[in-house]
Amino acid sequence: MDAKKRIEELKKAINHHDYQYHVLDKPTISDVEYDRLLRELVDLEKAHPELKTDDSPTQRVGGAVLEGFEKVEHTLPMLSLANAFNPEDLKDFDRRLKAVAPKATYIVERKLDGLAAALTYEQGKLVRAATRGNGVVGEDITHNVKTIRAVPMTLQKSVDIEVRGEIFMPKAAFLRLNEAREAAGEATFKNPRNAAAGSVRQLDSRIAADRTLDMVIYSLSEHDEDASMTHQETLSYLRELGFKTNDVIACDSIDAVIKACLDIESKRNDFDYDIDGAVVKVNERALYKTIGYTAKSPKWAIAYKFQAEEALTRIEDIRYQVGRTGQITPVAVLRPVDIQGSTVSRATLHNDGYIRDKDIRIGDDVLIRKAGDIIPEVVSVVLENRDAESDPFTMISQCPKCTTPLTRSESEADLYCENPACPARQAEALIHFVSRRAMDIEGMGNRVVEVFYNEGYLQSIPDIYRLKDHREVLIRRAGFGEKSIDKLLTNIEKTKSNSLEKLLFGLGIRYVGEKVAKVLAMHFGTLSDIIQSGVDDLVDIDEVGEKIAQSVVDYMQNDKNQAMLKELQEIGLNMTFTGKRPEAGAFSGLVFVLTGKLDTMTRDEAKAHIEAQGGKVTGSVSAKTNVLVAGEDAGSKLDKAKSLDIEIWDESTLKERLT
Ligand code: IVH
């Protein structure tokens, strides 16, 4: 088949599967199969660059890096919504509205807590995406929006339209992102909205591509005179074109609207993304012109804002966490209280500026809520309840663990303990080193590390591998039996052969998260090559920017770190990349099983072909099998594969895929 035709076919298939997965949430093929299609397209476009188009799904992986943001003037201003805070406000809205449009009915939908964006399509192709900006002029964010898979690159019809909607980050993606940033010693985002906004406001689209963003479309931009459909019909039309839209509730009275709003509010925690309210809109768009606008917002719609669920409790103490990087974080110890379905007993106080601004003191009664519905924070102090004797908060000036005088960060917001030998920092560093995503030493949880650390057995990373010298003492120590110590020591030994990226991540180099560690390990292959590399070598790598490069060089040039790495080498830790490299073949990463009699080749020949394309052939079907190739008279393996829902190919499918 000629390349052009195949590329078109692949683009269509991938767009279709993106739609099934990201819009309908109903994938019809496996992830592996999807990756295979995408890889085939990438390869074909590489071989025929002249056939690569801007609307290709391969553009979604990110790559475009801008110098700055272009301004985009909106064809119609992007307005905001007036707010209602209770049923009474909704009734007032209804009264005002019915005075001019007595026949209006309503649609109630979720108000997503993200950021608004406008998408322009010409002849069905996505040509531009812009932020709201000041409502009149926004910024061009097309390069980043292309990475959002719920946003179609090509519509089902070749139309010229502009649509608007909300870009957001699902809660699970937000928690994962923050976990990874914390592990890499980077600042975390306060809530999913900030994370989404921060991702969209990046010049380098690879960052957005890496962060799971999503988008729901809530309107079609048209002059009111041209609006021929109701809002509900518009949403169906948008769905037909391929957009993800909100579930909506149609209401023919304000009482029904109130019920719908309260209903959404009661379910607010059940969605996998944050919502901060409900939006009530008139369904009949033909009435919009009559109902009219204020300077800032339409009069035919209103946002019903949820009460942020707050709880009253008391600050029993303020403690300090010393992070791996030395950052000091004050934390409020709260009398435990239930809020939005979970018990909260700690709230971060961020830094001393935050505490002073809110005048938070130990013993205060405070209102607590979950920021972005996830992270507990102090909203305000109930001053009437304050004890007259209470003392204003004073921040510590010395490290709570090692008493080193604290220093201010560049931004002046945070305090740091700069003592690299600080026990709190070291214990945190050890906890990070042994953690699952780093060296993964089974049986060595936080408590074990802390006990061994406090008793002096563990002062540095190399000490972990010298614990075996203390076997007898450790066994005699109450709390650790012979069996568990031996098991732990065996587990520790095992990790000596870990591939380089695990060690590299475990070292806790600032900005080197799991992914960067892997990229570096794969690129250089050995630790000594990384040690010898300079900033210039490092920034040449795709995923590595200036900040990361400098941090790696600083770490590797440090005498103490070098001595420690040398010690680890002498102890016998593996310092080379021994992980799997993605292979180039069409079947790389796939596990095959062959069964039955093949027509035009022997099984051994089939095996050789599959392996030549990077696939692996095993003898029995298990959950790890990706594809069963079934010839004639296939027996129990076929039945097992079917029961495990494994993809099944006949011989002709195999041959097709091999070419
Ligand atoms: S309709 C005239 N529908 O809320 C503005 N907005 O305060 C029409 N939002 O900027 C907006 N979910 O970013 C609409 N289902 C929804 C929404 C929604 C979230 C945001 C939007 C807008 C803000 C208004």
Short mmCIF file of all heavy atoms in Angstrom, two decimals, residues 79-81 109-112 116 166 218 246 279 281 298, ligand 1:
data_model
loop_
_atom_site.label_atom_id
_atom_site.label_comp_id
_atom_site.label_asym_id
_atom_site.label_seq_id
_atom_site.Cartn_x
_atom_site.Cartn_y
_atom_site.Cartn_z
N LEU A 79 -16.87 36.19 28.01
CA LEU A 79 -17.43 36.83 29.20
C LEU A 79 -17.27 35.92 30.41
O LEU A 79 -16.81 34.79 30.31
CB LEU A 79 -18.92 37.12 28.96
CG LEU A 79 -19.19 38.02 27.76
CD1 LEU A 79 -20.70 38.15 27.54
CD2 LEU A 79 -18.57 39.40 27.95
N SER A 80 -17.66 36.45 31.57
CA SER A 80 -17.70 35.56 32.73
C SER A 80 -19.14 35.43 33.19
O SER A 80 -20.05 35.92 32.52
CB SER A 80 -16.78 36.07 33.82
OG SER A 80 -17.23 37.34 34.20
N LEU A 81 -19.35 34.78 34.30
CA LEU A 81 -20.72 34.53 34.75
C LEU A 81 -20.97 35.24 36.07
O LEU A 81 -20.08 35.34 36.91
CB LEU A 81 -20.93 33.03 34.97
CG LEU A 81 -20.93 32.14 33.73
CD1 LEU A 81 -20.90 30.68 34.14
CD2 LEU A 81 -22.17 32.42 32.88
N GLU A 109 -25.66 22.47 34.22
CA GLU A 109 -24.50 21.62 33.96
C GLU A 109 -23.42 21.86 35.00
O GLU A 109 -23.49 22.81 35.78
CB GLU A 109 -23.97 21.83 32.54
CG GLU A 109 -23.73 23.26 32.16
CD GLU A 109 -23.53 23.43 30.65
OE1 GLU A 109 -24.47 23.17 29.86
OE2 GLU A 109 -22.42 23.81 30.28
N ARG A 110 -22.43 21.00 35.02
CA ARG A 110 -21.35 21.14 36.02
C ARG A 110 -20.45 22.31 35.65
O ARG A 110 -20.19 22.53 34.48
CB ARG A 110 -20.49 19.88 36.04
CG ARG A 110 -21.26 18.68 36.48
CD ARG A 110 -20.46 17.42 36.21
NE ARG A 110 -21.38 16.31 36.06
CZ ARG A 110 -21.09 15.17 35.47
NH1 ARG A 110 -19.89 14.98 34.96
NH2 ARG A 110 -22.00 14.23 35.38
N LYS A 111 -19.98 23.00 36.66
CA LYS A 111 -19.02 24.08 36.42
C LYS A 111 -17.64 23.54 36.74
O LYS A 111 -17.28 23.34 37.90
CB LYS A 111 -19.35 25.29 37.29
CG LYS A 111 -18.46 26.48 37.01
CD LYS A 111 -18.97 27.71 37.74
CE LYS A 111 -18.18 28.95 37.37
NZ LYS A 111 -16.76 28.87 37.68
N LEU A 112 -16.89 23.29 35.70
CA LEU A 112 -15.56 22.70 35.89
C LEU A 112 -14.58 23.74 36.38
O LEU A 112 -14.62 24.89 35.93
CB LEU A 112 -15.08 22.11 34.56
CG LEU A 112 -15.87 20.89 34.16
CD1 LEU A 112 -16.59 21.11 32.87
CD2 LEU A 112 -14.95 19.71 34.07
N ALA A 116 -10.71 28.61 30.99
CA ALA A 116 -11.49 28.66 29.76
C ALA A 116 -10.56 28.80 28.56
O ALA A 116 -9.51 29.44 28.64
CB ALA A 116 -12.44 29.85 29.82
N GLU A 166 -13.65 24.26 28.88
CA GLU A 166 -12.78 24.35 30.05
C GLU A 166 -11.68 23.29 29.97
O GLU A 166 -11.97 22.11 29.77
CB GLU A 166 -13.65 24.12 31.29
CG GLU A 166 -13.02 24.55 32.58
CD GLU A 166 -13.21 26.05 32.87
OE1 GLU A 166 -13.69 26.79 31.99
OE2 GLU A 166 -12.87 26.46 33.99
N TYR A 218 -18.27 23.56 26.26
CA TYR A 218 -19.62 23.92 26.73
C TYR A 218 -20.37 24.89 25.84
O TYR A 218 -21.52 25.18 26.10
CB TYR A 218 -19.60 24.40 28.19
CG TYR A 218 -18.56 25.47 28.50
CD1 TYR A 218 -18.64 26.73 27.93
CD2 TYR A 218 -17.54 25.21 29.39
CE1 TYR A 218 -17.71 27.71 28.22
CE2 TYR A 218 -16.59 26.19 29.70
CZ TYR A 218 -16.68 27.44 29.10
OH TYR A 218 -15.75 28.39 29.39
N ASN A 246 -20.37 18.24 28.57
CA ASN A 246 -20.90 17.98 29.90
C ASN A 246 -22.18 17.16 29.85
O ASN A 246 -22.93 17.27 28.89
CB ASN A 246 -21.32 19.33 30.49
CG ASN A 246 -20.42 19.79 31.59
OD1 ASN A 246 -19.94 18.98 32.37
ND2 ASN A 246 -20.21 21.09 31.67
N VAL A 279 -23.62 25.45 36.44
CA VAL A 279 -23.96 26.60 35.61
C VAL A 279 -25.40 26.42 35.12
O VAL A 279 -25.75 25.34 34.63
CB VAL A 279 -23.00 26.73 34.40
CG1 VAL A 279 -23.35 27.98 33.58
CG2 VAL A 279 -21.55 26.80 34.87
N LYS A 281 -28.19 27.72 32.51
CA LYS A 281 -28.29 28.50 31.27
C LYS A 281 -29.69 28.38 30.71
O LYS A 281 -30.32 27.32 30.84
CB LYS A 281 -27.32 27.92 30.21
CG LYS A 281 -25.87 27.97 30.62
CD LYS A 281 -24.99 27.22 29.62
CE LYS A 281 -23.55 27.25 30.11
NZ LYS A 281 -22.66 26.41 29.33
N PRO A 298 -23.39 37.36 30.57
CA PRO A 298 -24.73 37.24 29.98
C PRO A 298 -25.79 37.22 31.07
O PRO A 298 -25.53 36.75 32.17
CB PRO A 298 -24.67 35.88 29.28
CG PRO A 298 -23.60 35.11 29.96
CD PRO A 298 -22.63 36.10 30.51
S1 IVH B 1 -20.52 28.88 30.21
C1 IVH B 1 -20.35 33.63 29.34
N1 IVH B 1 -20.31 26.51 31.24
O1 IVH B 1 -16.74 29.40 34.39
C2 IVH B 1 -19.51 32.58 29.90
N2 IVH B 1 -18.69 28.12 31.84
O2 IVH B 1 -17.22 32.24 35.58
C3 IVH B 1 -20.13 31.29 29.56
N3 IVH B 1 -16.95 27.28 33.34
O3 IVH B 1 -15.01 31.50 32.25
C4 IVH B 1 -19.45 30.22 30.23
N4 IVH B 1 -17.70 25.22 33.46
O4 IVH B 1 -14.30 29.08 32.30
C5 IVH B 1 -19.79 27.74 31.18
N5 IVH B 1 -20.24 24.34 32.03
C6 IVH B 1 -19.72 25.56 31.97
C7 IVH B 1 -18.55 25.90 32.67
C8 IVH B 1 -18.08 27.22 32.59
C9 IVH B 1 -16.76 26.06 33.84
C10 IVH B 1 -16.08 28.46 33.60
C11 IVH B 1 -15.69 29.20 32.37
C12 IVH B 1 -16.03 30.64 32.59
C13 IVH B 1 -16.28 30.67 34.06
C14 IVH B 1 -17.34 31.69 34.33
#
